[in-house]
Amino acid sequence: MHPAPPLPSNTAYVPFVSVANMMRLVHDIGLDVMLHELAHYIEEDFRRWPEFDKSARVASHSEVGVIELMPTSDGDTYGFKYVNGHPKNTQDGLQTVTAFGLLANVATGYPELLTEMTVLTAIRTAATSALVAKYLAPAGADTMALIGNGAQSEFQAIAMNVLCGITNVRLYDTDPRATTKLARNLEDQGLTINCCHSAHDALEGAQIITTCTADKQFSTILTDNMVGSGVHINAIGGDCPGKTELHRDILLRSDVFVEYPPQTRVEGELQQMPSDFPVTEIWQVMSGTRPGRVSDRQITLFDGVGFAIEDFSALRYIRDRIDGKPYVERLDMLADPDDPRDLYGMLQRAAPIASCGS
Ligand code: NAD
């Protein structure tokens, strides 16, 4: 069998960042630096929130999970992410969340970047959590309870360490193997690590509580009596209709901060509340038009479901950071005929060469 000859080049190449290259990029930049820089990009974009096209993500649900498309545009650049959420996947050796995303030029509609976003989503979610905590967590917070010790958890712990100064983490997962894995992975981070036997135990002395569990049902990871005054709750695991982590009474005692209310009201902890339950959009806090934390006794709750603008920021960041770096493959995914109206002619000219392949 002969190898197929190369096809004629009628392609405008699209830069592509594979998983392997994303990992090289993270190691090259350093995860700590990347979290800082990405948080800065997210903050920049949140501060210009009104400039963006916004819509709740388009979700396709099944009994076992969800597949979502998350688009947005700032008028110059368009971006979207494809992401799934399948909590049962880990039993089969697959991940709960995988993703890829694309940036395109609004003026031409041509893609400018295609990239893996599984690793990038974990980093952007952690950067968002820590950025929000910088605005809402009590001053001097040094201890975080981290409930749900799966794929997102290391990134959450490290981001809270490098952006918010958290030095103690108290870990809990219903599966002790997940906690052991997380504690092992965090060994060199300079954190004091406590592996706990219950969520209740994990909350002891924590000023920040992150819930990051995966389950396709209404769960009660935190009950009202577990949550003392003055804490900041970073609830990011309940991100789908029918999937929550907090008892609704906690929301009644909290000031709730969200990304995009039309999406959070159907996907977040808010789905348990009436449709007019008061919330603050976090971009307003970041742009100084609404208050964040106003008292020591206030419970602040970030009902974080993940919004398209965070992915847009992450894509924008990667586009800027790969510039001039060797981490990019050229993806043959755009036809580029010499005469733009002669697509058929381009196909005809390719046929004889392609057909002598094998
Ligand atoms: P994962 O499956 O890798 O880990 C989830 C962990 O939660 C598992 O270790 C599991 O044992 C644990 N768990 C399940 N029920 C629990 C309970 N009742 N108490 C304690 N632990 C429990 O998933 P992941 O990739 O880490 O994602 C976690 C969640 O975060 C998912 O629901 C995912 O959809 C969500 N997520 C949200 C965002 C966002 O932007 N808000 C981004 C990424 C992922």
Side-chain angles (χ1 to χ4, degrees):
M1 198 150 82
H2 303 291
L7 285 170
S9 169
N10 283 103
T11 306
Y13 288 100
V14 177
F16 170 63
V17 181
S18 64
V19 176
N21 278 332
M22 181 62 74
M23 294 195 292
R24 281 191 199 110
L25 187 67
V26 177
H27 284 295
D28 185 24
I29 296 172
L31 181 56
D32 294 13
V33 174
M34 199 162 173
L35 285 160
H36 270 292
E37 292 181 343
L38 183 46
H40 178 69
Y41 270 62
I42 294 169
E43 193 172 29
E44 261 180 3
D45 286 340
F46 273 38
R47 285 185 175 162
R48 61 187 187 108
W49 190 265
E51 293 175 24
F52 284 90
D53 251 2
K54 291 174 283 294
S55 55
R57 57 187 156 206
V58 183
S60 172
H61 296 279
S62 68
E63 291 206 342
V64 290
V66 63
I67 293 176
E68 298 166 331
L69 289 178
M70 302 172 69
T72 188
S73 166
D74 67 356
D76 293 325
T77 304
Y78 172 93
F80 78 84
K81 179 168 85 173
Y82 166 103
V83 62
N84 77 302
H86 285 69
K88 56 107 200 145
N89 270 6
T90 50
Q91 294 159 22
D92 306 322
L94 302 174
Q95 292 192 105
T96 298
V97 175
T98 61
F100 67 88
L102 183 141
L103 272 189
N105 183 333
V106 169
T108 59
Y110 271 37
E112 292 184 331
L113 171 70
L114 179 71
T115 176
E116 88 80 40
M117 286 191 82
T118 305
V119 176
L120 191 56
T121 291
I123 298 172
R124 82 82 155 113
T125 305
T128 304
S129 289
L131 174 63
V132 170
K134 271 175 74 173
Y135 283 90
L136 299 181
D142 61 5
T143 302
M144 174 169 78
L146 181 44
I147 301 170
N149 300 161
Q152 309 302 314
S153 60
E154 286 83 357
F155 300 88
Q156 289 287 322
I158 294 169
M160 289 291 186
N161 174 232
V162 300
L163 271 89
C164 303
I166 287 296
T167 51
N168 307 311
V169 285
R170 301 182 60 80
L171 316 179
Y172 174 68
D173 194 294
T174 41
D175 182 348
R177 290 171 304 175
T179 306
T180 305
K181 174 246 7 169
L182 173 56
R184 189 179 59 238
N185 285 341
L186 291 178
E187 255 168 22
D188 297 332
Q189 193 63 29
L191 289 161
T192 303
I193 300 166
N194 281 287
C195 298
C196 303
H197 296 293
S198 67
H200 203 277
D201 182 16
L203 263 49
E204 187 72 42
Q207 300 97 353
I208 298 180
I209 303 165
T210 291
T211 54
C212 188
T213 64
D215 208 343
K216 199 160 173 24
Q217 61 174 345
F218 294 109
S219 294
T220 309
I221 310 298
L222 301 183
T223 53
D224 190 32
N225 62 332
M226 291 163 74
V227 177
S229 63
V231 299
H232 172 62
I233 305 173
N234 172 45
I236 60 159
D239 60 353
C240 212
K243 178 177 165 208
T244 55
E245 297 181 301
L246 311 186
H247 192 282
R248 71 186 297 278
D249 287 354
I250 298 172
L251 281 85
L252 294 171
R253 289 168 59 218
S254 305
D255 287 311
V256 180
F257 297 82
V258 302
E259 291 138 320
Y260 182 59
Q263 183 177 305
T264 312
R265 287 192 191 280
V266 291
E267 295 187 351
E269 301 304 320
L270 273 184
Q271 60 190 288
Q272 308 178 71
M273 311 310 280
S275 59
D276 58 352
F277 189 79
V279 297
T280 302
E281 295 181 44
I282 193 67
W283 73 270
Q284 295 176 305
V285 178
M286 292 185 193
S287 58
T289 56
R290 293 282 301 271
R293 172 168 291 274
V294 291
S295 92
D296 290 346
R297 297 193 57 74
Q298 179 188 17
I299 300 172
T300 51
L301 164 58
F302 176 48
D303 189 359
V305 293
F307 188 60
I309 293 175
E310 291 145 41
D311 298 309
F312 181 95
S313 311
L315 287 163
R316 197 165 70 75
Y317 173 70
I318 294 300
R319 183 184 58 188
D320 293 353
R321 273 310 217 143
I322 57 173
D323 201 24
K325 293 252 166 45
Y327 305 132
V328 185
E329 289 159 57
R330 299 189 321 153
L331 207 60
D332 172 6
M333 64 179 266
L334 281 181
D336 190 21
D338 299 337
D339 173 353
R341 287 175 297 188
D342 193 15
L343 186 65
Y344 183 80
M346 182 188 87
L347 177 65
Q348 288 293 89
R349 284 188 291 282
I353 304 172
S355 63
C356 62
S358 53

